[in-house]
Amino acid sequence: MGSYLLRRLGEIIPVLLVVVTAAFLLVKIVPGSPFDTDRAMPAAVKARYEKFYGLDQPVYVQYGRYLTHLAQGDLGLSTKYQGWTVNELVGPRMPVSAQLGLAALALAIAVGIPVGVLASSRPNSWLDRIPMGLSLVGICLPSFVIGPLLSLVLSRWLGWVPPCGWGRPEHLVLPALTLAIVVAAPIARLTRGAMMEVRSLDFVRTARAKGLGPFRIWFVHTLRNALLPVVTYLAPAAAGLVSGSFVVESMFDVPGLGRFFVASVTNRDATMIVGMTVLYAASLLILNLAADLLLAWLNPRRKLGADSESGLGIGYLLGLALAPLVLLGIYLGGVALRDSLKGVEIAPWLSWSAVRTATAWFVGALLLLLVAIVGWALSRGWDRFVRNRAAVVAGVFLIFIGLACLLASPLAPYDYRAQDLALGPVGPSSAHLLGTDILGRDLLSRILHGGAVSILVGLIATVIALVFGTAYGVVAAQVGGRIGDAMMRAVDVIGTLPLTLIIILCTVIFGQDLWLLYLVVGGISWLTMARVVRNEVITLRAMPFVQAAETMGASTPRIVWKHYLPNLAGTLAIYATLTVPGVMLLEAFVSFLGLGVQAPMTSWGMLIKDGADVMEECPWVLLAPATIFAATLLALNFVGDGLRDAFDPRDTRR
């Protein structure tokens, strides 16, 4: 245990070095300087500021100086808040975010695990359907919808707690409850699913045959093993909670790290961005280590000293140590290439519009591939899928809402851009079935057009995640050994970079472009798929039919095509239905930040954001898009449950 702990702690330092380098160079890619936003600043004053902060030096000099200060615990001077260091700005806000995050995490665990255990005790009864239905609501509603609804009910209508602020215990209720609902819902579903699987295993049946009491069977044997996936989920969830939530902290005026981080990105405060990224990555790596130790305690069969947990050796650590130099070299080479191409006319086929056209054709082909995969997978388990009436009804609803949104132009009763300021906001009526917003625009028309954007974002990003995640996971599993493990550690390193940072920086560099949103969201959604596919392929490689194919001399491409992909089809179909809701929620979050689609276009995320601003005066402006958004995500979860049951190899029903 001691040697394993020291080894894992030693691996954190080079991983953090890679993360710091990546964040530092990402910030440097953004054109301009932190002082470009102040248009009134004379050039001479701007030059003095840049010299004071060392921004006039070459990038490698700035990088070396930053690492020197970071080794001493100094996160640098803030370029936005002049005269303040990052340590002085972050220090008072860390306890606030930690207090809020720990309170929400404790509440989520205290509610989620018992609810999951209770639901698994009576499967398919009202004791199961009611809490699981409520948990789906928690999964499908984003925090910027849950927060205003809780504030409206608990603060404005009932007057139990203050609506916002910080400093008194009652100020903790609304933000902690909002975050806890978002986290407790997946915990409950994970606990319920794991309990259902563990209770059918041999050792549980043996304990029952020995005459052990129900309490000992449930809480000593079943729950202990069922907590393994829950603990795995809690590590990144806890890191996100403790390091701050921008939406919740902004909504309830909490002086934490979340809102400060987003503000630093938009203000191009490079030292603040890198410092906040270091804090987030360090908390995530430490919590992942804590999760591994807890998993070893919950599962005594998992030996920390075994070869699978012994780390990747000195070669891997040396590779991590050299990775920052490689990243710095790539950046400097890219800058040199950009400077050499200045004034050179770019071929028309390399223009941004040509790239978008090519991307559209490529994504269209991938969408057809996704339809083929899901259809073929359904044909294998259709009999069991149709037994799940909720999944069938949800599938019909998804087809209906998808066609209605994709055919919004002929179906919408009004032009979604047309304003009627004289009419203003009016509730649902015969003329406007869902009412109008504050500018007099028809909500039904805007929801249909916004749904087309949100659904396309979900589908396109999911296809990208499926293609690249599947390919990466198959290669990592097939190669195996230290190379395969190093590939997955690279996925872990990428996962430590905050998604908000990547999205905002891409938006700042390339502008608010719809196709950019598709590609960026898809590009950061494949990490989980890679882990899932790798684990599945490792299991398949040990199967007799795969070993027989290898013995007969079958080539690797043939094994992948004939054996891996057919057996992965169910997993891919299930993952597709579960990834689309997550991507749509991410798009809604990006739109909430104001970085999503540009006006006059809209999306469900933008509609919900606009509705949350006028929720008290015009509740229908929020309730209409939020209800359809939640119903769509709820249907996707039901379809995912149906696919999971249809392709469950332990289900022997025919």
Side-chain angles (χ1 to χ4, degrees):
M1 172 70 77
S3 60
Y4 170 80
L5 185 60
L6 290 176
R7 184 163 51 246
R8 286 293 302 272
L9 288 174
E11 290 179 359
I12 288 178
I13 296 176
V15 170
L16 278 179
L17 183 60
V18 175
V19 173
V20 168
T21 305
F24 185 88
L25 297 180
L26 279 174
V27 173
K28 293 300 178 182
I29 291 175
V30 178
S33 73
F35 312 108
D36 288 342
T37 55
D38 192 350
R39 299 180 181 275
M41 180 178 293
V45 176
K46 178 182 175 181
R48 285 198 298 269
Y49 271 118
E50 291 181 347
K51 183 176 182 180
F52 175 77
Y53 287 103
L55 300 179
D56 59 337
Q57 299 293 322
V59 172
Y60 59 87
V61 176
Q62 299 179 41
Y63 174 72
R65 185 175 63 249
Y66 183 81
L67 288 184
T68 302
H69 289 291
L70 183 62
Q72 301 171 1
D74 181 11
L75 297 177
L77 287 170
S78 170
T79 56
K80 177 64 177 178
Y81 303 93
Q82 299 174 9
W84 291 80
T85 65
V86 175
N87 299 57
E88 295 171 341
L89 292 170
V90 170
R93 291 168 172 81
M94 286 184 63
V96 175
S97 290
Q99 181 182 357
L100 174 59
L102 291 175
L105 185 64
L107 182 59
I109 294 174
V111 173
I113 292 179
V115 167
V117 172
L118 184 65
S120 66
S121 64
R122 296 289 187 273
N124 299 321
S125 67
W126 64 269
L127 205 59
D128 178 25
R129 297 186 185 278
I130 292 178
M132 287 301 99
L134 293 176
S135 70
L136 282 176
V137 173
I139 292 174
C140 296
L141 285 179
S143 58
F144 54 83
V145 175
I146 296 175
L149 292 177
L150 289 177
S151 178
L152 182 65
V153 175
L154 298 181
S155 179
R156 183 173 178 83
W157 291 352
L158 300 178
W160 290 352
V161 291
C164 60
W166 191 258
R168 301 199 305 268
E170 54 269 27
H171 287 141
L172 190 62
V173 175
L174 283 178
L177 188 58
T178 301
L179 291 174
I181 290 175
V182 175
V183 178
I187 290 177
R189 291 182 62 81
L190 284 172
T191 304
R192 187 257 186 192
M195 290 287 290
M196 294 289 291
E197 292 182 4
V198 173
R199 62 187 291 185
S200 63
L201 298 180
D202 293 338
F203 71 89
V204 176
R205 289 198 296 266
T206 302
R208 191 178 294 112
K210 289 181 177 180
L212 298 181
F215 180 86
R216 184 174 179 82
I217 292 175
W218 274 88
F219 292 97
V220 176
H221 295 280
T222 308
L223 181 60
R224 180 169 181 168
N225 288 275
L227 287 179
L228 299 180
V230 177
V231 172
T232 304
Y233 164 78
L234 283 178
L241 290 176
V242 173
S243 60
S245 170
F246 165 75
V247 174
V248 173
E249 290 181 1
S250 300
M251 192 180 303
F252 297 106
D253 196 23
V254 177
L257 293 173
R259 58 190 302 188
F260 208 65
F261 173 67
V262 175
S264 66
V265 176
T266 55
N267 292 326
R268 304 186 186 184
D269 194 343
T271 50
M272 179 65 70
I273 294 172
V274 180
M276 294 288 293
T277 303
V278 169
L279 293 176
Y280 173 79
S283 63
L284 179 59
L285 293 171
I286 292 174
L287 287 170
N288 279 331
L289 174 58
D292 288 341
L293 297 176
L294 184 56
L295 287 172
W297 177 78
L298 290 172
N299 184 11
R301 293 171 295 180
R302 177 172 176 167
K303 302 298 183 182
L304 293 179
D307 293 338
S308 61
E309 299 287 347
S310 59
L312 299 176
I314 189 65
Y316 168 72
L317 295 179
L318 182 61
L320 275 179
L322 294 177
L325 298 179
V326 175
L327 291 175
L328 186 61
I330 293 174
Y331 171 82
L332 294 176
V335 171
L337 179 63
R338 181 195 62 188
D339 294 340
S340 64
L341 291 177
K342 284 183 177 179
V344 178
E345 184 178 355
I346 304 297
W349 58 274
L350 286 177
S351 64
W352 178 237
S353 59
V355 171
R356 285 190 297 178
T357 303
T359 303
W361 282 99
F362 176 68
V363 168
L366 293 182
L367 284 175
L368 292 177
L369 177 63
L370 174 63
V371 172
I373 291 175
V374 174
W376 179 71
L378 273 178
S379 66
R380 301 175 62 212
W382 178 256
D383 292 339
R384 282 189 285 176
F385 179 80
V386 295
R387 293 196 192 109
N388 191 326
R389 296 182 180 179
V392 174
V393 173
V396 173
F397 172 79
L398 288 176
I399 294 174
F400 171 78
I401 196 70
L403 291 176
C405 292
L406 294 177
L407 300 175
S409 296
L411 293 180
Y414 298 91
D415 184 354
Y416 75 100
R417 298 164 296 185
Q419 302 180 10
D420 190 348
L421 299 180
L423 178 64
V426 296
S429 63
S430 58
H432 301 277
L433 296 180
L434 298 181
T436 61
D437 61 8
I438 57 175
L439 298 178
R441 296 173 294 192
D442 182 66
L443 273 180
L444 176 59
S445 302
R446 292 182 62 77
I447 288 173
L448 290 176
H449 283 274
V453 174
S454 296
I455 291 174
L456 283 176
V457 169
L459 290 177
I460 292 174
T462 299
V463 169
I464 295 174
L466 282 173
V467 173
F468 291 101
T470 301
Y472 194 93
V474 168
V475 171
Q478 191 67 21
V479 172
R482 293 188 173 183
I483 296 177
D485 290 340
M487 290 177 65
M488 299 315 296
R489 292 294 177 89
V491 170
D492 294 336
V493 171
I494 298 173
T496 58
L497 291 173
L499 300 183
T500 306
L501 170 64
I502 298 174
I503 293 174
I504 295 178
L505 285 180
C506 289
T507 304
V508 171
I509 296 172
F510 300 106
Q512 292 179 258
D513 188 275
L514 189 58
W515 283 103
L516 173 69
L517 181 63
Y518 294 155
L519 296 176
V520 171
V521 175
I524 59 181
S525 301
W526 64 272
L527 303 177
T528 303
M529 188 69 245
R531 296 188 184 97
V532 171
V533 170
R534 177 179 180 264
N535 293 333
E536 290 283 337
V537 173
I538 289 176
T539 302
L540 289 172
R541 289 188 68 185
M543 294 293 180
F545 63 89
V546 175
Q547 293 179 348
E550 292 176 346
T551 303
M552 295 174 63
S555 63
T556 299
R558 181 175 178 82
I559 292 175
V560 171
W561 182 257
K562 292 292 185 179
H563 298 287
Y564 290 163
L565 292 182
N567 287 279
L568 286 172
T571 301
L572 297 179
I574 295 168
Y575 178 80
T577 60
L578 298 178
T579 303
V580 173
V583 172
M584 291 174 67
L585 285 171
L586 182 59
E587 183 275 328
F589 169 70
V590 174
S591 296
F592 181 85
L593 295 178
L595 301 175
V597 297
Q598 292 179 300
M601 294 185 66
T602 187
S603 69
W604 283 345
M606 291 184 64
L607 292 174
I608 292 173
K609 172 185 178 295
D610 295 339
D613 295 336
V614 295
M615 178 186 60
E616 296 183 5
E617 299 84 3
C618 314
W620 64 88
V621 179
L622 170 64
L623 293 178
T627 300
I628 295 178
F629 182 77
T632 302
L633 299 189
L634 192 67
L636 284 167
N637 278 278
F638 275 125
V639 171
D641 289 344
L643 291 174
R644 181 197 60 202
D645 295 339
F647 298 110
D648 187 357
R650 289 177 292 271
D651 191 351
T652 58
R653 294 172 298 172
R654 293 288 186 271

